[in-house]
Amino acid sequence: MSDTSHGIGGLSFDKSKRQWPNEINVFGALILIVLIFEGLGAAIMGQSFLFDSNDRFDSIFNEARLKIIILQVSIIGIIALGVTQVIISGGIDLSSGSVVGAAAMIAMSFAQVAEVNGNPNPKAVFGPEWMDLPVLVPVIVGLAIGVFAGIINGFFVAYAKIPPFIATLGMMVSARGVAKWWTSGQPISFPTEAYGAIGKGMMPVFIFIALAILFHFIMTRTLYGKHTYAIGSNEAAARMSGINVARHKVLVYSIAGMLAGLSAIVLTSKNLTAQSGMGIIYELDAIAMAVIGGVSLAGGRGSIIGTVIGALIFGVIISGFTFLRLDAFYQEMVKGAIIVGAVVLDQWRQQRAAARA
């Protein structure tokens, strides 16, 4: 029986060229990594990695470890959702970690209480008239800082024609400088109760999941998503089809900046403090989550679902190494190897697809 079927107008469909959705491959990698840690846990630790072997929980799973895995990737995962869109559009964003630092410092300074245990706030940045503000104020400030940084990135990339690597590298350095300059490197603490509730408990996870669902819909069901994929696939063709490429790039970078600002808000709320060093290396972890999730650095291909699975792979690796009581530098080595491996695999997939076309 032939594997080729004919359709309208003589067009043919070759079943041998069907491919699994890339997200299934990434999910398979996640399962494989979990099984590896399960095997290592049984052989080395005499314990299960994800399952409850000591009857400490109401379910068969180790709920504490599952929560830790999801929590430790949710904040960087918010950044990764924006970075994913930038990479799909054919760009890159190296500034998101530094934008987190700047937005964290500035937003927290508008979220402080006037008194701590009946005494004036020892970490106060502004006067009493800027204390005890409604929670909406620091949230808007944090988001605005992120959007502003994203607009600058987008302007230099789209209109000044500066390579994305250079433009966002400059923002990375500048934003980190702003974070240190804002209070001369001093931490900012004692936010209002309403602000602290934003990142309390599992709220970072809920925010991450809600945003992932939202942007999955946007990227798959709206013109914004279609234009983003089109620009990343072939910018010249997208321009000839009537897409305002420059304006759309500014929008993509602005959204990525906004998500970095939101990440800063959630992070400072969770920690109840802001420090100028917050967000260091976050941009690289966010890019790694996207690449591991199947987003092509060449642009035009990838998905929000893949990035979410990539974030889970990151969380499993970090938690797995902690479970095995291995030092943190081994995590960095393995993460680096996985990133390089994911890029090599992506290049191989592209070459294979081109050969089969």
Side-chain angles (χ1 to χ4, degrees):
M1 182 179 294
S2 174
D3 286 333
T4 302
S5 58
H6 295 278
I8 298 174
L11 296 177
S12 62
F13 172 69
D14 189 349
K15 296 180 180 179
S16 66
K17 293 186 177 181
R18 288 183 301 184
Q19 294 181 350
W20 288 102
N22 190 56
E23 292 83 0
I24 295 180
N25 297 328
V26 179
F27 185 73
L30 172 62
I31 298 300
L32 177 61
I33 293 172
V34 169
L35 292 176
I36 289 173
F37 280 119
E38 282 290 342
L40 291 174
I44 299 174
M45 310 297 297
Q47 298 179 20
S48 173
F49 174 54
L50 284 184
F51 295 93
D52 179 20
S53 56
N54 297 317
D55 295 327
R56 293 173 297 174
F57 305 103
D58 295 332
S59 67
I60 63 172
F61 293 103
N62 188 327
E63 296 176 2
R65 181 164 289 119
L66 286 172
K67 288 181 179 179
I68 291 173
I69 289 174
I70 301 174
L71 263 175
Q72 64 191 359
V73 300
S74 58
I75 293 177
I76 301 179
I78 294 172
I79 301 173
L81 298 178
V83 169
T84 295
Q85 298 170 59
V86 171
I87 298 176
I88 289 175
S89 72
I92 196 73
D93 189 357
L94 300 178
S95 67
S96 51
S98 295
V99 172
V100 167
M105 295 294 286
I106 298 174
M108 179 62 92
S109 64
F110 287 91
Q112 292 183 291
V113 294
E115 294 185 350
V116 179
N117 297 325
N119 299 310
N121 189 337
K123 299 288 186 179
V125 176
F126 300 120
E129 65 275 9
W130 294 100
M131 301 289 185
D132 294 312
L133 295 173
V135 67
L136 196 59
V137 174
V139 169
I140 292 176
V141 168
L143 295 177
I145 295 298
V147 171
F148 179 69
I151 290 174
I152 294 176
N153 283 335
F155 173 81
F156 282 123
V157 171
Y159 292 100
K161 304 301 182 182
I162 296 176
F165 183 91
I166 301 301
T168 58
L169 180 63
M171 177 58 69
M172 179 182 76
V173 177
S174 299
R176 185 62 62 188
V178 170
K180 295 177 180 178
W181 161 79
W182 188 251
T183 58
S184 300
Q186 297 300 311
I188 307 174
S189 305
F190 307 116
T192 62
E193 184 177 347
Y195 187 84
I198 296 174
K200 188 176 182 180
M202 296 296 288
M203 280 302 296
V205 177
F206 299 145
I207 293 172
F208 173 49
I209 293 174
L211 287 171
I213 294 172
L214 173 63
F215 281 105
H216 171 70
F217 174 82
I218 290 174
M219 292 297 289
T220 57
R221 295 289 186 270
T222 68
L223 279 178
Y224 167 84
K226 297 180 189 304
H227 289 178
T228 303
Y229 280 104
I231 293 170
S233 298
N234 190 322
E235 184 174 324
R239 185 176 289 108
M240 293 180 64
S241 67
I243 298 174
N244 190 326
V245 173
R247 185 175 64 188
H248 191 84
K249 284 186 176 181
V250 173
L251 178 59
V252 171
Y253 278 96
S254 299
I255 291 175
M258 180 188 69
L259 290 174
L262 177 60
S263 178
I265 293 167
V266 177
L267 179 63
T268 52
S269 172
K270 180 176 180 292
N271 294 339
L272 300 179
T273 187
Q275 300 181 19
S276 59
M278 281 182 162
I280 291 179
I281 310 298
Y282 277 20
E283 64 278 352
L284 299 183
D285 285 349
I287 293 171
M289 289 177 181
V291 172
I292 291 171
V295 178
S296 174
L297 288 174
R301 193 171 72 249
S303 70
I304 295 296
I305 293 177
T307 296
V308 171
I309 301 174
L312 292 177
I313 290 176
F314 236 59
V316 168
I317 292 173
I318 295 172
S319 183
F321 274 75
T322 303
F323 167 66
L324 296 175
R325 296 186 176 88
L326 295 177
D327 293 324
F329 51 76
Y330 289 115
Q331 298 177 21
E332 305 301 324
M333 295 178 188
V334 172
K335 284 194 293 185
I338 290 176
I339 293 169
V340 173
V343 174
V344 170
L345 179 61
D346 176 61
Q347 294 293 323
W348 176 78
R349 277 200 307 260
Q350 291 186 54
Q351 294 173 1
R352 186 182 180 190
R356 295 174 64 182

